[in-house]
Each structure stands twice: as C-alpha cells, then as structure tokens.
Amino acid sequence: MAEGLTGAGDFELEVLDLVTVSGMRIDLTASCMGITIFEDIFSLALTGTIALVDSFNLPSHGPILGQEYLYLKIKTPSFPNATTTAIDFSENVFLIHSISTRKALGSGVQGYVLSFASQELIKNQRLKVTQSLTGSWSDLVEQMLRDSKYLNTTKNVLIERTAGVKRFVAPNIRPLDVVVLATKQAISQKGGEPTFLFYETFDGFHFQSLASLYNKLPSFLFKTVQPGANPPLGRRGDIAKQMETILGYEIVNNNDTIVGYRTGMYGSKLITHDIVNKTYKINRYNYHDNFTSEPHIVSGTTAERSEYPFVSELYVNQEGRVSDYLGRTFVMPETNSSINKEKDSQHATTANTSPFSSYNPSSWIQRRNSQMLQLENAFNINLRVHGNTMVRVGKVVTVKIPYVQASSVKREEPFDKFYNGPFLIKRIRHDFSMTQSPQKHIMNMNLVKDSLEEQLPNPVDNMEPSAQTYGSKIDYNYADI
C-alpha cells in the first residue's frame, strides 16, 4: 500500500522559490495556481510553466524579466521500496526564460505565466563547439554534458556505450547539436543498435537505444474500470487501485499508409558514393524482412516472446507487399579507407594511420529512419491518469483497454488486442493543480506500441481491387468551344 497517501494524485509541494535578478528570494507557494512540466523522449530537456496570481506586482518590483532561477521540489508521498519519489530541482534549479499571458484580474490582482526549462537547455544557447573531437559517440555525448567548457551538468547521466572511434570537427555548433548528431549516427556496442535517443527525465539525462528501453519489464499497470467498480477516492487500502485507473483515453492514430510509403518506414533505398575509392553501392531496407532482426516492444531483447509486425504482410498486388516498394531514396557520400572499408580515410593520425570509424550510413540511416517513424505511426494512445512522480518517459508500462462494442464481449477476450499489453511512454504532461481541494496531480501521457502479440491476417486473394478495363481518354480541343 502507498504510505502517506490519502488519495490518488496526492502530492507535496516542498519548495517553490523564485530568485530574481536582484537576488531577492520569493516563496511562490501561496501565489501558485498550477505547475505544468513536460517530459518527452524526443525533447532534449525538461520544460514547463507556472501560473501565478499576484497582488504585489512582482514583475515590476522583483523584477521578473525572464532571467530568474526557480527552485522546485515536488513529491508523491512515499511508496515502499521506492528509490525516489521526488521531482527535485532544489539544487539543479530550473531557469525562467520568459513571462507571458500577463493580465489584470481585478481588485489589484494580476495573473501571468512563467515559462522555465532545465538550465542545460539555456546554457546550450550561449555556447558553441569549434574544435576537433575524438572518441566514441557516447564519449562525445559525455564530454558535451560534463566538460566545464560546455554544459557542465552535475545531474545524473545514463549513457549506453557505442561502438567505434570517431573524429569529428564541430563546425561552430552548440553542444546539444553534437548530441543530436550522435543520436543519429551512434551504433551501440551490444547488438549494433542505431536507434539512440537523448532526453531528460526527473532522474537525469539519458542517451540510450530503443533496445535498452524495451529491455525492461513493465513498471506500472494502467487499466480502465467500470463506473462504480473502483472504491471511492480517499480510502487508503484502495489507493493503489485508484492510481492504476485510466481516467480517460484517446486512440490517436495507427499506421497511416501514405506516411509509411513516403517517409521510407515501409521500405527505402540507400545509394552511397565512396568519393575516395570511386565506387558506389545500393542498400535496400524492407520493414517486414528486417522485423525479426530488430528489437520491438512485445519481445524486448531478452523476453523471447513471439511478436509480429503492426503492418499486414498482405500482398497489395502481384509485385509484393507494402514493404516491397522502396518509397524513399537516400543518397549519401562516404570516405572509406582503401585498405579497410570500416575505417575513415578522411582523418588520419600524425603517424599517418586511420584508426577512426567510417561514416558508414548503411549501418544506421535506413533502419533508424524506419524505427523512429514507427514510434509515431504505430499504435499510439493518450491516457489521462492520476499523477505519480515515479512514472517517467522511456519506461515500459502495461495498458489494458477493453473492447468497445455494443454486443457482449467474449469472456476470454475482454481487452482490445491492439491496445493491450506493453506500451512505451513517449510523453508526459504533469499538471499540478493548486486551485482544487485537495490539490491534485494529473498526468496526460502519450504511449506507443510497435509490435503485436498475434499476427495480422494476410490472405493471398485479397489484393487491391480495380477495374479490368481502362476508362476512355479524351483529348481536349480548343476548337470545340
């Protein structure tokens, strides 16, 4: 049972202080209407807003200019065996970067919104990297985060080690631009995974591949319940059940075929031109043919459960499936050594050796392109649930959505086969409301599932239908007017 909780969505606001440019420290607890924090596996850092009501005209007297420091600590009352339950930015503070929506509310009271972000994101805007960098991509990411010349973060950093040694000349770009480039080209030491992501959670920064995210057991369960089936809010013995309850859900999208073709998610062709050896080669990517060699959420990388594509292998015509059409073409140069094709001839040591890994786009660009697109184009669902500061983006959770139909559902199939099972949390919007009593924390989450537990039908006689004969052709003639 959750200890210290009186109801699902409870939270404790321990610190909410603003330090102005003059050095004045202001406790905003009494003025705060609500706090919103955004987590996203496609975002480089945490961002958020805080809504305030003010009868002291702090924007003028503070003043508040968009250069302030925000000390924040919020937690869900303790759970047993939990290593951390807090959103703690009382040391690594947020930085305010703008003030907006400032309006008079009457009787000498005004309201406004402060926008904040992690300090590393703000630091990134004022720093440039103009040097030759050497090391694996994971080493370069760590350098950008830890080096005192760059972001110099003291937060936790979780890094999955990558293969190869690169030499890269940073052309006057920002530290996080180097990190973004690393996510696109990095190959993991284990399994050669090219699907790296860089994002921040309340625990710190993460540089990980999809395979490492999928290689975790589900950490939380979220399910719908019949109205009245859950015990009333506030009964201590049933709070855990209440925190599992889905308050609302929206099925967002799944498998837009046009997007799948045009973006190369189904299939693509890569033409690489070696400008040193004067050769070229062609690589073809096929979603269905590559599926079993790629990690997906149902089986992960160690569970060894059977999983199937979320796109049917149905033949659309005599020529093949959707993945047999290479809808996107990449054309990229490379500079491989004539002695060892895995080494880069563009960079050499003072001893005239070439120990640096080649660009080798065939090892990452097509597969990464497809799997990143699958995260947006597979089975996506938005959930609204009671807040819990232990839930993070990048975690795998179990979701159970029932079948929605007028007739009775078979007892052995109570849940929708597509929206049941493991899902990856992509985005979370944490809303902390101070205007209701008791104060509540609500999470709006976007989750995705990129594989299925059972195979989709693909009958051989269900090709795209069309008329057997062509329609007439008429040549337009101006003389007929």
Side-chain angles (χ1 to χ4, degrees):
M1 185 185 76
E3 297 175 352
L5 281 170
T6 59
D10 283 359
F11 68 93
E12 297 175 358
L13 180 58
E14 297 190 352
V15 179
L16 183 61
D17 291 347
L18 187 76
V19 176
T20 68
V21 293
S22 65
M24 181 190 303
R25 185 162 183 147
I26 306 168
D27 185 350
L28 298 178
T29 305
S31 303
C32 182
M33 302 291 289
I35 302 171
T36 298
I37 305 176
F38 300 95
E39 288 184 273
D40 190 333
I41 62 172
F42 298 114
S43 180
L44 299 174
L46 297 173
T47 59
T49 60
I50 174 170
L52 300 172
V53 290
D54 175 14
S55 59
F56 300 100
N57 197 15
L58 291 177
S60 296
H61 294 306
I64 298 178
L65 305 172
Q67 297 173 268
E68 293 71 36
Y69 311 134
L70 180 66
Y71 292 75
L72 175 66
K73 185 174 182 179
I74 307 174
K75 72 174 186 178
T76 300
S78 299
F79 281 74
N81 304 320
T83 56
T84 176
T85 62
I87 301 171
D88 190 356
F89 291 86
S90 57
E91 294 182 355
N92 291 303
V93 301
F94 286 117
L95 301 187
I96 302 294
H97 62 82
S98 68
I99 175 172
S100 60
T101 323
R102 188 176 175 184
K103 296 180 179 179
L105 304 178
S107 302
V109 177
Q110 61 179 310
Y112 46 87
V113 174
L114 303 180
S115 297
F116 60 84
S118 294
Q119 56 184 269
E120 291 80 9
L121 185 63
I122 308 300
K123 288 180 183 177
N124 183 65
Q125 312 311 313
R126 60 179 184 248
L127 298 172
K128 289 294 185 72
V129 186
T130 53
Q131 70 172 89
S132 176
L133 303 169
T134 302
S136 66
W137 279 120
S138 55
D139 291 338
L140 299 186
V141 169
E142 185 175 357
Q143 182 179 350
M144 293 300 104
L145 293 175
R146 294 295 198 199
D147 196 309
S148 59
K149 293 186 299 183
Y150 302 123
L151 299 182
N152 194 26
T153 184
T154 58
K155 295 177 181 176
N156 296 329
V157 177
L158 193 161
I159 293 181
E160 181 179 350
R161 290 298 161 187
T162 59
V165 178
K166 306 292 293 187
R167 172 162 287 181
F168 170 66
V169 179
N172 197 34
I173 58 178
R174 293 180 171 84
L176 289 181
D177 293 335
V178 176
V179 172
V180 169
L181 190 62
T183 63
K184 295 178 179 179
Q185 298 184 21
I187 304 295
S188 67
Q189 287 183 352
K190 180 177 174 59
E193 298 299 325
T195 54
F196 274 81
L197 297 161
F198 178 82
Y199 59 94
E200 184 185 7
T201 70
F202 302 137
D203 298 325
F205 289 101
H206 297 251
F207 180 70
Q208 294 180 257
S209 68
L210 273 179
S212 68
L213 299 183
Y214 291 157
N215 192 26
K216 301 287 185 183
L217 293 175
S219 52
F220 294 94
L221 167 68
F222 297 105
K223 60 184 179 181
T224 60
V225 297
Q226 293 294 328
N230 251 0
L233 290 176
R235 285 179 52 184
R236 296 175 61 87
D238 301 303
I239 292 174
K241 285 187 178 180
Q242 293 163 5
M243 297 189 75
E244 294 176 351
T245 300
I246 297 173
L247 303 176
Y249 70 90
E250 176 190 13
I251 294 175
V252 185
N253 65 285
N254 57 71
N255 192 24
D256 186 323
T257 307
I258 294 177
V259 172
Y261 281 124
R262 292 186 64 89
T263 60
M265 187 187 81
Y266 294 155
S268 63
K269 179 169 66 175
L270 169 64
I271 303 172
T272 52
H273 175 221
D274 189 331
I275 59 178
V276 173
N277 296 292
K278 305 298 187 293
T279 59
Y280 78 92
K281 61 181 179 181
I282 297 175
N283 293 86
R284 294 172 175 83
Y285 175 86
N286 184 301
Y287 166 72
H288 287 113
D289 292 346
N290 282 57
F291 184 83
T292 55
S293 62
E294 300 170 353
H296 294 275
I297 195 164
V298 170
S299 69
T301 55
T302 58
E304 298 181 353
R305 289 169 290 179
S306 297
E307 64 179 354
Y308 301 92
F310 69 91
V311 180
S312 173
E313 294 192 67
L314 174 76
Y315 271 67
V316 294
N317 53 37
Q318 296 290 346
E319 297 180 10
R321 308 154 295 178
V322 293
S323 58
D324 294 320
Y325 291 86
L326 308 182
R328 184 175 183 180
T329 300
F330 299 93
V331 181
M332 305 190 75
E334 56 184 353
T335 54
N336 297 330
S337 168
S338 57
I339 300 174
N340 185 344
K341 299 297 183 183
E342 295 183 357
K343 300 301 180 181
D344 186 3
S345 64
Q346 188 177 4
H347 300 285
T349 65
T350 54
N352 201 29
T353 59
S354 300
F356 307 111
S357 302
S358 63
Y359 187 46
N360 195 16
S362 61
S363 66
W364 52 270
I365 188 168
Q366 290 171 284
R367 180 175 156 193
R368 175 183 171 78
N369 174 71
S370 179
Q371 289 205 261
M372 292 298 106
L373 288 165
Q374 289 172 41
L375 293 181
E376 297 294 348
N377 208 40
F379 293 101
N380 279 259
I381 187 170
N382 291 338
L383 298 185
R384 185 171 180 268
V385 298
H386 292 291
N388 182 347
T389 54
M390 292 194 297
V391 178
R392 306 282 190 267
V393 294
K395 296 291 187 182
V396 176
V397 297
T398 300
V399 175
K400 293 184 178 295
I401 301 295
Y403 279 114
V404 179
Q405 61 183 50
S407 60
S408 59
V409 182
K410 294 180 180 179
R411 181 172 298 178
E412 64 270 18
E413 296 180 352
F415 300 109
D416 191 307
K417 64 181 179 181
F418 296 142
Y419 295 94
N420 174 42
F423 277 74
L424 177 70
I425 304 177
K426 290 195 302 180
R427 302 177 180 95
I428 305 178
R429 170 178 170 153
H430 296 270
D431 289 312
F432 301 90
S433 174
M434 282 72 167
T435 58
Q436 63 186 93
S437 182
Q439 299 174 348
K440 286 297 176 184
H441 172 200
I442 295 293
M443 297 188 304
N444 291 279
M445 305 191 297
N446 176 230
L447 303 93
V448 65
K449 181 179 184 179
D450 67 352
S451 60
L452 297 171
E453 290 86 351
E454 59 182 81
Q455 189 171 14
L456 293 171
N458 52 0
V460 296
D461 58 348
N462 190 25
M463 298 182 187
E464 293 176 351
S466 61
Q468 298 298 312
T469 58
Y470 290 98
S472 59
K473 180 180 77 70
I474 301 174
D475 292 328
Y476 181 80
N477 190 336
Y478 280 95
D480 295 338
I481 297 178

